[in-house]
Amino acid sequence: ALSPTLTLYNIFWAEVVSASCALIFAFPVVRQFKAEGKLHEADRVETALGWRTIVRYGIFSYLTICMYQVYGSDTLKLVVSRLLGAIETASYGMAATVAETIRKYLPLFLFHGVIRPSLVARYTENRSYKQQNHLCNLVFKLNLLILAPIVAFMAVSGDTFGAWISAGKYPSAGILLTIMTALIATQSQRLVYAMLASVYTFPAASLWATVTSMVALPLSLVLGEKYGAVGVLGGMLVGDLIWIAVVAIRLHRAGRSYVPDKKGISKLIAAAVAGGGFAIILTPYCGNLLGVLLSAAVITAGYIAAVLLLKPFSHDDRLVLAKLIPESLRFRLGGK
């Protein structure tokens, strides 16, 4: 990092040094915390009894992360570069970058580090499976509330948007942008199941789900040969669905099933379809940047109107949101 030229080698060692410094500083903080006796005696007993569970959870989580790299998004980029030509590979990379940027700033992913400990704390306090189900549905619907109109926009104006953002290099990237942004929904549902497996301390479920869904890699290779980048994304979708199914079965067998709010989710999807439909009708021939902006405005307006009409958020959802959102920023998203 001190070199005048910024290279991957320098970035790697900067990461190593920063991580090592964080670890070095963490040890005295932990020792001081224990020395000052800030834990109550009951907490000490609970912590002492839970070390085996903590270590087991850490090992399973680490193995899960390692296994996921076998068929993760970065690996699929290599598959695309191996199977397809330079132009389609570059188009795929651009679409993946856009989708990843969107994903990072969605509530479920952006606040994942806050949401999961909150779920654990609530479950530890009341052991209510019903409350966990409700909260997970709420965070997923909040994610979908923002994601659904983006998918609709990509479906309507993805080609024009892709051409504009790439300075005309990828004028046919709309289908990739649409599929990749839509896949964020399954990735969001997968993250919800992962959080529930964490809350209920089922780390083995996540590991076996990851091992089982590794079938996505050979499937992406087969489908990619026949259908190109869309086939690779099809393999990714199948892998996510297998992962979700395996964890869902484990939760069901333990009597802690997660039941998605199909009614609320369907209303959000219907609102996005309505917004996209309005855009198709009102902006059929707008193929420039002005058309993209107009399409986005029409979709947003139509989507908001449909959400207010359909009310995908229940009364219980609104009660929770009322505690989190300032009164001046609240919308009437739920029922009465």
Side-chain angles (χ1 to χ4, degrees):
L2 299 177
S3 171
T5 9
L6 187 63
T7 64
L8 287 176
Y9 180 81
N10 290 331
I11 292 173
F12 169 77
W13 281 110
E15 291 285 349
V16 171
V17 171
S18 62
S20 301
C21 289
L23 185 62
I24 291 170
F25 282 112
F27 276 115
V29 172
V30 172
R31 291 186 64 182
Q32 182 181 2
F33 182 80
K34 293 181 68 176
E36 291 178 358
K38 292 185 178 179
L39 290 175
H40 296 295
E41 195 61 34
D43 294 329
R44 290 180 184 278
V45 174
E46 184 180 349
T47 303
L49 293 174
W51 278 117
R52 180 175 296 180
T53 302
I54 293 171
V55 171
R56 178 175 176 270
Y57 178 84
I59 292 173
F60 275 109
S61 298
Y62 177 75
L63 291 175
T64 299
I65 293 171
C66 291
M67 292 292 183
Y68 177 70
Q69 303 310 312
V70 174
Y71 67 96
S73 56
D74 291 333
T75 304
L76 292 182
K77 289 178 184 177
L78 297 176
V79 170
V80 170
S81 65
R82 172 67 177 84
L83 296 177
L84 310 176
I87 295 178
E88 195 165 0
T89 300
S91 179
Y92 181 95
M94 183 274 294
T97 301
V98 172
E100 178 64 20
T101 302
I102 293 169
R103 190 178 75 93
K104 282 180 180 178
Y105 293 100
L106 291 175
L108 182 56
F109 296 92
L110 185 62
F111 299 113
H112 172 242
V114 176
I115 294 172
R116 185 169 64 172
S118 299
L119 292 175
V120 173
R122 284 181 177 271
Y123 178 68
T124 303
E125 180 183 348
N126 53 38
R127 298 286 171 176
S128 172
Y129 306 139
K130 184 178 179 180
Q131 187 181 68
Q132 294 296 310
N133 194 87
H134 173 240
L135 292 174
C136 285
N137 268 312
L138 177 57
V139 296
F140 178 75
K141 286 191 294 182
L142 286 173
N143 224 49
L144 194 59
L145 176 69
I146 299 172
L147 178 63
I150 296 175
V151 177
F153 169 75
M154 293 301 180
V156 174
S157 302
D159 284 342
T160 308
F161 175 77
W164 173 71
I165 203 172
S166 65
K169 296 184 182 70
Y170 315 118
S172 303
I175 187 169
L176 292 179
L177 287 167
T178 303
I179 295 174
M180 285 188 178
T181 50
L183 281 175
I184 298 174
T186 59
Q187 294 164 8
S188 302
Q189 193 68 272
R190 173 175 172 157
L191 182 56
V192 167
Y193 276 98
M195 289 193 299
L196 286 173
S198 173
V199 169
Y200 300 140
T201 59
F202 295 155
S206 296
L207 176 60
W208 292 121
T210 303
V211 171
T212 307
S213 56
M214 286 172 67
V215 69
L217 181 59
L219 186 60
S220 294
L221 286 167
V222 172
L223 294 177
E225 287 277 7
K226 191 170 184 180
Y227 302 106
V230 174
V232 174
L233 294 176
M236 179 190 295
L237 173 62
V238 171
D240 282 341
L241 294 178
I242 291 174
W243 198 99
I244 291 170
V246 171
V247 176
I249 292 170
R250 176 66 180 90
L251 294 177
H252 178 73
R253 288 178 177 174
R256 303 174 190 180
S257 297
Y258 166 65
V259 182
D261 180 9
K262 299 180 182 66
K263 186 176 180 180
I265 293 171
S266 299
K267 288 180 177 180
L268 287 170
I269 295 173
V273 171
F278 290 141
I280 291 174
I281 294 170
L282 299 176
T283 61
Y285 304 111
C286 298
N288 52 19
L289 178 57
L290 179 61
V292 170
L293 296 176
L294 182 59
S295 174
V298 171
I299 289 173
T300 302
Y303 178 71
I304 291 175
V307 166
L308 294 175
L309 178 66
L310 296 174
K311 299 180 177 64
F313 291 87
S314 67
H315 177 68
D316 290 339
D317 292 338
R318 293 176 64 207
L319 290 177
V320 175
L321 291 174
K323 299 175 182 178
L324 303 175
I325 302 175
E327 188 172 356
S328 59
L329 299 178
R330 293 176 199 164
F331 289 92
R332 192 178 177 187
L333 299 175
K336 294 182 179 179

